[in-house]
Amino acid sequence: MMTEQDLQQLRAHKWHLDGNPVRTLEQARDFISDVGFCVMYPERTLQAVPSFMGAFAGSPERLPDSKHAFADPRAQEATELMIRLLRERSAYEMNLFPGTDLVVSASLFPYFHSLVADANPKATPRVRTQGARVSPLAVDVFNAIQKNGAASKDGLRQLVSRELSDAALDRALGELWSILKIVRVDYRENQGTFWDVLYRWSPGVVKEALDISEPEAISALLSKFLESAGAATQDEIEALFSHLTSRSKVREAINALLSARELSFVGAGPKTLIRLSPVPEPRRRING
């Protein structure tokens, strides 16, 4: 059995919400490696996923969401720290969820890539890739970045069209980012965000991802999620990973891991949760 309090205490410790804030680059590296992935800002619909903002603050109290982050001075400091992780390729960003970005450790990122990106990273994206609509403008933006290197929005206007509005350019960048054709690689105060094609920024990640099967990717991400969350309901698991693949494939992965006894059920009050199976303690040797 596990109580709700047990679960919250486990998460508070794992997610650095217990008065132990993440403030240095080394601490940030260790945190993202430990949890595997986190949202940048707390999201009400993703309560089983840690947030980088929460870890930076060291507390779950009065944390801003993405809409109100501009008014919280801590948010700028947390973002600067996260960008340092991006620059050194210790972490990558994804825009899987509305309202907040996902920050992913370098070791786990190939598994995400294998699920959402196409099989030819250098190819110009087609009008429809992995179910996501890619506009002609997004194709032009991709070709400009691919040919000229990492670019900011102002740089892209010079390369594609000076008449581009912020909204149109943001949509095009979002389309390419959602299928990991491009990633954010830097931010400079006077120039804004810089984007580059992923295969050039991190060729090793792309190469590794192409060798990962879909069931392998789902199982690896699911296991890391439960390691970070402590335990979660099947509905929470399916809702989270439905942003990456179908619920039926998530259920298949859960059932396979349950059959292999890598996952197990645990009661927590009225809820039935799924967790990583505890490692059995070695038997004591009796002498004599």
Side-chain angles (χ1 to χ4, degrees):
M1 280 290 292
M2 173 186 290
T3 67
E4 185 67 27
Q5 185 178 11
D6 291 336
L7 184 59
Q8 294 309 316
Q9 287 178 345
L10 185 154
R11 289 178 178 177
H13 177 70
K14 185 87 170 177
W15 299 354
H16 288 257
L17 301 175
D18 57 353
N20 182 26
V22 168
R23 294 297 173 85
T24 68
L25 183 59
E26 184 178 0
Q27 289 170 339
R29 279 193 214 107
D30 290 343
F31 168 71
I32 196 64
S33 177
D34 191 33
V35 298
F37 60 92
C38 64
V39 288
M40 185 62 202
Y41 298 104
E43 171 57 43
R44 182 179 54 81
T45 60
L46 299 168
Q47 294 186 6
V49 180
S51 75
F52 196 86
M53 185 70 242
F56 181 85
S59 166
E61 303 299 326
R62 299 186 300 278
L63 294 176
D65 59 19
S66 58
K67 292 181 180 178
H68 300 93
F70 70 93
D72 192 318
R74 298 172 301 173
Q76 182 176 348
E77 294 179 66
T79 299
E80 288 171 356
L81 182 58
M82 187 273 291
I83 289 169
R84 291 173 70 189
L85 292 176
L86 301 186
R87 285 180 184 141
E88 67 174 28
R89 299 172 179 81
S90 292
Y92 296 82
E93 265 188 312
M94 297 179 67
N95 63 339
L96 277 182
F97 311 111
T100 187
D101 297 335
L102 194 70
V103 185
V104 182
S105 71
S107 61
L108 215 60
F109 188 61
Y111 296 95
F112 279 97
H113 184 281
S114 71
L115 292 176
V116 304
D118 62 36
N120 190 348
K122 295 184 180 181
T124 300
R126 292 173 293 182
V127 173
R128 185 171 292 277
T129 304
Q130 297 287 358
R133 181 164 290 281
V134 177
S135 64
L137 175 57
V139 171
D140 291 342
V141 168
F142 175 81
N143 288 335
I145 297 173
Q146 186 178 47
K147 180 179 178 180
N148 297 281
S152 65
K153 287 202 293 187
D154 283 344
L156 287 168
R157 283 193 184 91
Q158 300 299 318
L159 295 168
V160 179
S161 170
R162 295 185 181 184
E163 307 302 319
L164 277 177
S165 68
D166 269 352
L169 194 46
D170 285 340
R171 277 196 302 274
L173 290 167
E175 290 169 8
L176 295 170
W177 192 18
S178 68
I179 54 173
L180 293 179
K181 282 292 189 179
I182 62 172
V183 287
R184 181 157 78 142
V185 299
D186 201 358
Y187 179 87
R188 301 172 196 168
E189 191 171 350
N190 59 337
Q191 295 175 284
T193 294
F194 278 72
W195 303 87
D196 201 357
V197 289
L198 179 60
Y199 74 81
R200 180 167 56 216
W201 177 249
S202 292
V205 163
V206 173
K207 184 178 179 182
E208 182 180 350
L210 294 177
D211 292 330
I212 297 173
S213 69
E214 187 174 25
E216 181 185 358
I218 298 170
S219 295
L221 295 176
L222 198 159
S223 296
K224 190 63 178 179
F225 165 65
L226 290 175
E227 180 187 322
S228 171
T233 65
Q234 180 155 340
D235 188 60
E236 286 177 320
I237 297 170
E238 290 183 17
L240 173 63
F241 288 101
S242 65
H243 293 271
L244 293 165
T245 187
S246 67
R247 281 180 176 256
S248 62
K249 290 181 179 178
V250 179
R251 284 193 289 271
E252 287 174 12
I254 291 172
N255 291 334
L257 291 170
L258 285 168
S259 296
R261 298 186 178 180
E262 293 183 35
L263 302 182
S264 56
F265 294 107
V266 60
K271 295 180 181 178
T272 299
L273 306 180
I274 297 173
R275 65 176 178 180
L276 292 178
S277 295
V279 178
E281 294 184 8
R283 293 181 179 180
R284 285 186 177 182
R285 298 181 69 180
I286 301 174
N287 296 322

